[in-house]
Amino acid sequence: MAIKRALVIRFRRVGDSVLAVSVCKSLKKTFPGVQVDFVLNDNIASLYEGHPDIDRIITFSDEENHNLLKYLKRVRRLMRETHYDVIIDMRATVKTLFFSLFSLHTPFRIGTKKAYSLFLNNYRVPNRDDSSLDMVQCNLRLLEPLEKITEVKYDSSFCLFVPDEEKEVYRSYMERQGIDFKRPIVLAAVATRIVGKGWDMERMKVMIEKMIERYHPQIIFNYAGEREKGICNRLYEDLGRDPHIFMNIEANSLQELRALTSLCDFFFGNEGGPRHIAQALDIPSFAIYPPGIRKSLWLPGHHVRFQGISPDDILPDDGTMTKEERFGLLTTERVWEGLDEMLSTYLLC
């Protein structure tokens, strides 16, 4: 059968949606000419503008997501307007199942395996039942039902693209703010959106000091929102307002963060959406993974350019230690050992 239109549903956060791009790319490679529509929360959609593997971005606002009646009307209208041959429901929540409910004629309604999705998704794939798989590999398993009609061309790469004009505009802004592109630039995510997910700030301070002492980079603190900005400002003050650190470069949208990241030489900091963006733009990175966030799942590719450290690397979690105790396993010595090796490779080349 011919597959002409596919719908990929990936609500949630930045990192989740970035890793989902591999599904869009694989669909494009498997079915030349297919139109791929991507469903996202509207606050992250700008990351994918102009993406060659995404033909149409469908966004839902917070109001639509939190008003069930508006949400249902919007989904029903979308599914009536467009005939899809494939629906890839990457989470298969009760709410996302309405896409399949309003499109029961779609031959392939694929989602993660949930007890309540039995009658709406006619193909259900086990979700994260294999601990040897990373998140991209888990996502790509959702394409396995399509092997029924063709050989699926799986592609585990996930890339973001920055238009040249957009990059040049942001580069000019960075130069006006004092950045010298002849010197190395490090984007540092020292704060986190979720409280408790970030590494100890005293230890983070030591890492910044060591980077400055040995490599003399220009370090841009990345932050989103007033809480994260406050954390970054406190660290900046604790570091004596060191001139290597730039607090005056702001990315006020994900589009701007995309441009900023593409112009940096290295990413360091807490695991999260910005780190995924860095990898998607092929920027070398070293990330700190908190307890409960499995590095083997969320650091896809096993590539030397993209590394990180987790408490699990030091001591397997047997349930006897608190989260704070496990986070404490990540000493400055252990983190610096991995970070220094990468910096010597990518900042001194």
Side-chain angles (χ1 to χ4, degrees), residues 41-54:
N41 294 324
D42 65 356
N43 61 335
I44 63 176
S46 63
L47 269 178
Y48 306 98
E49 290 184 6
H51 198 291
D53 298 316
I54 300 169

Side-chain angles (χ1 to χ4, degrees), residues 203-218:
R203 296 182 180 187
M204 188 69 77
K205 176 185 174 184
V206 173
M207 291 301 97
I208 301 298
E209 290 173 333
K210 284 180 173 289
M211 275 197 285
I212 292 172
E213 179 182 3
R214 180 159 184 179
Y215 297 99
H216 310 289
Q218 301 164 100

Side-chain angles (χ1 to χ4, degrees), residues 58 149 157:
I58 300 171
I149 57 171
S157 62

